[in-house]
């Protein structure tokens, strides 16, 4: 017998779970209830509507034509309730949900990981995922919320917030310098053991360092004893006394504080490039995006700026939002 009152919302959600999961058992697992409860709700829904929605047998669940039509409305109800929950959470100030961030290895290891750890404590309902990739990723096609990009943004359709600049400086262990030849000018590097970053093809093909100080440039031929496309092995080699490495300040900072590393040729730097936080355009920004940006951007800028001390080689290039 057909009735005119509205279908029960809980029964519709149970029916939606059954449609999506394909079985009463799987639907019960998703809704954290018993299989008999799902069956009871679906039967009650059929009685209320006066029609058969589901054809049952021992192997699978099939929908009638009416069931297929109702499945659309049940899905819309679930979507509406999910949106309502998000709106209420935002109104209450809760920052929640997944965030996927992509970064190159050195940023992930030395900068982002501790910043994200702080963010996770500040907003425990966030689900943060840090993907470490040294290739260019498309945040839209690869489902990323934020990317850290260096040198170029590559896509005018993306929002790009400048975070600062990275500059490389020369560092070595005090024990190495005590036993090595004198090192007072860039030209003296030709007599030293060098730990070479090969992440850029130009340095692989021609092992030279182009150093700059106060607008003066010196191109120096070097003799690498260890090469790597990652900073971590070069850092370890420098700490062990194997030679001199060019590293960003954020990579070396803790070892400078402990005395395991010391600056070489103060004021001379090798390279400088911009860093951006990149993400797809959304308006309005979800609250979790706003929380991420407000927490990460100032901290990244501060850490990157600390490696561009004007007393160590000139102010960073100018940029604006």
């Amino acid at each position: 017998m057909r009735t005119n009152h509205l279908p029960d919302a809980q029964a519709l959600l149970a029916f939606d779970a059954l449609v999506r999961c394909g079985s009463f058992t799987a639907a019960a697992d998703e809704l954290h209830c018993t299989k008999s409860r799902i069956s009871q709700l679906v039967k009650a829904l059929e009685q209320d509507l006066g029609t058969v929605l589901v054809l049952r047998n021992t192997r699978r669940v099939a929908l009638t034509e009416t069931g297929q039509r109702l499945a659309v409305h049940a899905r819309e109800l679930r979507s509406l309730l999910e949106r309502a929950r998000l709106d209420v959470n935002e109104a209450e100030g809760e920052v929640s949900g997944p965030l996927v961030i992509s970064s190159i290895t050195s940023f992930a290891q030395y900068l982002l990981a501790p910043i994200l750890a702080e963010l996770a404590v500040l907003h425990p309902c966030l689900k943060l995922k840090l993907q470490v990739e040294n290739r260019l990723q498309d945040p839209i096609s690869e489902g990323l919320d934020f990317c850290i990009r260096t040198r170029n943004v590559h896509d005018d359709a993306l929002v790009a917030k400048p975070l600062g600049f990275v500059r490389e400086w020369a560092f070595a262990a005090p024990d190495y310098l005590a036993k090595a030849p004198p090192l007072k000018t860039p030209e003296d590097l030709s007599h030293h053991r060098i730990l070479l970053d090969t992440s850029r093809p130009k340095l692989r093909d021609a092992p030279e360092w182009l150093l700059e100080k106060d607008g003066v440039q010196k191109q120096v031929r070097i003799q690498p004893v260890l090469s790597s496309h990652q900073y971590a092995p070069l850092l370890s080699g420098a700490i062990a006394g194997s030679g001199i490495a060019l590293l960003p300040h954020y990579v070396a900072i803790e070892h400078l504080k402990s005395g395991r590393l010391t600056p070489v040729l103060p004021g001379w730097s090798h390279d400088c490039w911009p860093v951006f936080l990149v993400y797809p355009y959304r308006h309005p920004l979800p609250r979790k995006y706003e929380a991420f940006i407000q927490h990460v951007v100032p901290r990244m800028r501060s850490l990157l700026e600390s490696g561009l001390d004007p007393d160590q080689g000139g102010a960073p290039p100018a940029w604006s939002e």
Side-chain angles (χ1 to χ4, degrees):
M1 178 179 177
R2 296 176 185 269
T3 60
N4 293 323
H5 61 77
L6 293 175
D8 180 70
Q10 187 177 14
L12 280 172
L13 293 175
F15 177 67
D16 171 74
L18 177 63
V19 172
R20 290 183 292 105
C21 298
S23 73
F24 285 90
T25 300
D29 289 341
E30 177 168 299
L31 297 183
H32 305 290
C33 63
T34 64
K35 176 181 174 182
S36 60
R37 178 58 177 163
I38 298 294
S39 179
Q40 179 185 21
L41 288 169
V42 172
K43 285 181 180 178
L45 185 62
E46 289 177 325
Q47 291 174 358
D48 281 348
L49 297 175
T51 186
V52 177
L53 302 173
V54 179
L55 300 176
R56 303 165 177 82
N57 61 37
T58 58
R59 304 188 64 181
R60 67 185 182 89
V61 170
L63 299 182
T64 64
E65 181 180 353
T66 307
Q68 292 174 359
R69 291 188 178 187
L70 184 63
V72 175
H73 300 293
R75 182 172 64 248
E76 291 176 350
L77 173 64
R78 176 172 55 86
S79 177
L80 174 63
L81 293 176
E82 288 176 348
R83 291 197 303 272
R85 178 180 57 81
L86 290 174
D87 286 344
V88 170
N89 287 344
E90 293 214 352
E92 293 296 320
E94 179 179 311
V95 176
S96 63
L99 278 178
V100 183
I101 306 100
S102 174
S103 169
I104 61 175
T105 303
S106 65
F107 284 153
Q109 181 176 357
Y110 300 106
L111 293 178
L112 266 181
I115 293 176
L116 293 183
E118 293 175 353
L119 182 62
V121 173
L122 190 63
H123 299 291
C125 291
L126 278 178
K127 297 179 181 179
L128 300 172
K129 181 179 180 181
L130 178 57
Q131 292 188 185
V132 181
E133 293 281 354
N134 288 330
R135 63 179 178 86
L136 183 67
Q137 291 186 280
D138 179 2
I140 297 176
S141 65
E142 299 188 50
L144 304 173
D145 295 294
F146 294 97
C147 292
I148 305 293
R149 287 188 179 175
T150 60
R151 299 185 185 274
N152 298 295
V153 175
H154 298 287
D155 190 342
D156 293 339
L158 298 174
V159 179
K161 277 191 172 296
L163 296 178
F165 293 83
V166 174
R167 192 186 294 274
E168 291 181 328
W169 308 90
F171 300 101
D175 288 346
Y176 168 81
L177 295 174
K179 301 172 184 177
L183 183 54
K184 296 181 178 179
T185 68
E187 289 81 0
D188 293 333
L189 287 169
S190 60
H191 305 298
H192 282 261
R193 298 167 61 86
I194 301 299
L195 313 177
L196 181 65
D197 175 12
T198 55
S199 61
R200 295 186 289 281
K202 184 177 180 180
L203 291 180
R204 292 198 300 265
D205 300 335
E208 294 179 335
W209 281 354
L210 179 63
L211 301 181
E212 180 177 352
K213 179 181 181 181
D214 299 330
V216 177
Q217 293 186 339
K218 297 282 187 178
Q219 191 159 348
V220 183
R221 190 78 176 178
I222 56 175
Q223 298 297 326
V225 297
L226 172 65
S227 299
S228 175
H229 70 292
Q230 299 282 357
Y231 285 132
L234 305 180
L235 174 65
S236 297
I239 293 171
S242 299
I244 301 171
L246 285 174
L247 302 168
H249 187 260
Y250 64 81
V251 173
I253 180 63
E254 293 303 321
H255 306 287
L256 292 170
K257 292 177 181 178
S258 67
R260 287 183 288 181
L261 287 181
T262 188
V264 173
L265 298 173
W268 291 94
S269 63
H270 174 254
D271 198 1
C272 186
W273 60 90
V275 183
F276 303 92
L277 177 68
V278 176
Y279 54 95
Y281 176 78
R282 288 177 173 85
H283 183 76
L285 272 179
R287 187 174 292 273
K288 62 181 179 179
Y289 268 48
E290 293 180 346
F292 179 91
I293 292 170
Q294 291 170 7
H295 183 84
V296 172
V297 170
R299 287 162 177 78
M300 284 284 289
R301 285 178 175 171
S302 177
L303 290 170
L304 291 174
E305 185 179 358
S306 69
L308 294 166
D309 187 342
D311 292 335
Q312 290 185 317
W319 52 261
S320 59
E321 294 274 6

